Amino acid sequence: MASSLLPADMHVMERGWLSSNNIVCLGDAPAVIDTGHTKHAAQTVTLLAKVLGDQPLATIAHTHLHSDHCGGTAALQAAWPDASTWVPVESLLYVQTWNKDALTFDGTGQRCDPFTASDALIPGNTVRFGNHHWEIHAAPGHDALAILLFEPEHGLLISGDAMWESSVGVIFQHIDGSGGFDTFTDTLALIERLSPRVVIPGHGAPFSRDSGAIDAAFASARKRIEYYKDHPAQHALHAAKVMIKYQMMDFESVPHAGFEAWLNAMPLLPVLHKQHRPDVGFGEWLDLIVEPLFSKGMLRRNETHVMNGD
Ligand SMILES: [Zn+2]
C-alpha cells in the first residue's frame, strides 16, 4: 500500500502472517526489502510486478534471513534474473554455500527455497535503494545477524523484526545463548538514538512518532523484555508455541504421524523444553505446549489430521 506516512516513491506491501512485509523503494533502480515466505512466493512476484509496472526489479535486500523474510527471494530472482541480492554481511557466505544449519532452517525445521546472494549489507556503510540513501546498522537480539536500514533525510526506519508496533518477536539470541535479552534492548536503544519519524516494521503497518506510536512501541517492548528477564521460562513457552503455530500455518493440514515427527525432529524444541520445564520429560512437555493450542482453537484436529486453526 501507499502510506501517507511515506514518500510517494515507497510502497509497503503489508502481508498477513507467515510472510513478512515487502518494502518497495521505487526509482531508476527499484529495490525490495524482504521477500516473505516461500509459501507465498508466487503471490509476492505478482504483487511486486504490479507495483513496479514496466520497470525491472534491480535489487533484492533482506533485514535478516528468517524463512518469512527471504522465502520469496528465489522466485523474485527467477522473475528478475538481473537483480542483485543483498544479505547481512555475516550471512553472505552461509547463503552462497546454502548452509541450512547456519541459516537456522535446520534448527527451526522451517523451509526456504534456496537462493543466491551477491552483495553484503555491512553495518556502518550506506547503500542506495531506490531514490534513498540508507544507513546500515547491526540489529541483534531477535536474530544475531539482522540489520536495520535508516534513511535520515525522511527519518524512515526499516526495522525488520527488531521493532514492531505492539508486540515483540522471539528473542532467538536468548534461546541460543549468543546474546540474551540485552542485545534486543541494546538495539531498541540504537533505534531511539536514530530517532525515526516512521518505523516500517517487518510485520504490521508503518507507525509514526507524531501519533505517539513509536514511543508506545518502545515502552511496551521494554516492558515485555523486563518481564522475560524476570521470567525467562515464559519466553521459552511463548517461543515454543510460536514455532509450532508458525509451522502449522505452513503445513495447514498434516497427518498426526507427520505432526508428531516434525515435533520430535525440530532441534529447537528440546532447547526450549530445557529452558521452560526441565523438570518434566520431553513427551510430557510437548503435551503441555500443544494441548492449549488445540483448546484455544489455534490448532484443530480430526481423526486423521492436525490442522491450522484461528
Ligand atoms: Zn525474524
Side-chain angles (χ1 to χ4, degrees):
M1 68 172 181
S3 166
S4 59
L5 296 176
L6 301 174
D9 58 1
M10 290 200 57
H11 286 253
V12 177
M13 289 162 39
E14 193 184 336
R15 309 293 293 274
W17 268 104
L18 258 203
S19 275
S20 67
N21 293 339
N22 317 121
I23 298 139
V24 186
C25 306
L26 297 172
D28 294 341
V32 64
I33 294 111
D34 289 344
T35 67
H37 193 275
T38 289
K39 189 179 183 74
H40 304 145
Q43 186 187 33
T44 303
V45 172
T46 303
L47 290 169
L48 186 55
K50 262 189 209 160
V51 173
L52 294 175
D54 293 337
Q55 274 191 300
L57 182 67
T59 303
I60 304 164
H62 305 85
T63 57
H64 64 300
L65 299 183
H66 283 160
S67 61
D68 53 335
H69 288 253
C70 64
T73 301
L76 297 185
Q77 291 179 334
W80 290 282
D82 293 334
S84 62
T85 299
W86 297 64
V87 297
V89 58
E90 291 181 73
S91 303
L92 184 61
L93 188 62
Y94 300 148
V95 172
Q96 289 172 339
T97 55
W98 203 248
N99 181 337
K100 283 169 67 184
D101 183 34
L103 291 168
T104 76
F105 305 134
D106 280 346
T108 57
Q110 294 169 5
R111 67 189 177 115
C112 181
D113 286 341
F115 60 90
T116 56
S118 49
D119 294 271
L121 294 160
I122 301 170
N125 285 6
T126 296
V127 67
R128 182 176 165 150
F129 290 150
N131 296 321
H132 302 269
H133 294 278
W134 300 86
E135 298 174 0
I136 304 163
H137 297 270
H142 166 74
D143 175 71
L145 308 183
I147 58 96
L148 52 78
L149 297 168
F150 180 62
E151 196 272 88
E153 193 185 335
H154 297 85
L156 307 175
L157 180 81
I158 296 174
S159 65
D161 292 347
M163 186 183 201
W164 295 341
E165 181 168 4
S166 54
S167 56
V168 165
V170 171
I171 316 296
F172 284 95
Q173 287 203 259
H174 180 263
I175 298 170
D176 68 22
S178 68
F181 296 124
D182 286 335
T183 50
F184 188 86
T185 43
D186 288 349
T187 293
L188 288 180
L190 161 71
I191 294 172
E192 204 157 34
R193 287 197 297 279
L194 295 173
S195 189
R197 190 181 62 81
V198 177
V199 173
I200 307 167
H203 303 272
F207 53 100
S208 72
R209 184 170 61 205
D210 289 350
S211 70
I214 293 180
D215 278 349
F218 278 125
S220 72
R222 288 192 167 117
K223 197 171 157 200
R224 172 77 1 199
I225 296 299
E226 284 307 310
Y227 176 78
Y228 284 150
K229 276 179 150 174
D230 291 343
H231 308 89
Q234 291 302 307
H235 176 263
L237 169 65
H238 171 68
K241 288 182 174 175
V242 166
M243 304 307 291
I244 294 167
K245 173 69 178 169
Y246 182 100
Q247 193 62 26
M248 283 308 300
M249 284 192 282
D250 188 11
F251 284 157
E252 292 183 29
S253 177
V254 61
H256 285 284
F259 183 61
E260 295 294 325
W262 182 83
L263 288 174
N264 283 293
M266 204 274 244
L268 220 53
L269 285 177
V271 178
L272 295 170
H273 164 226
K274 292 270 169 358
Q275 292 181 1
H276 180 224
R277 288 288 303 273
D279 55 312
V280 299
F282 183 64
E284 190 183 339
W285 178 76
L286 276 181
D287 287 342
L288 282 175
I289 301 294
V290 170
E291 285 308 318
L293 294 174
F294 285 112
S295 62
K296 287 178 185 158
M298 296 172 77
L299 303 183
R300 292 181 292 119
R301 61 189 153 193
N302 60 22
E303 279 179 17
T304 58
H305 282 71
V306 174
M307 291 152 288
N308 187 35
D310 301 327

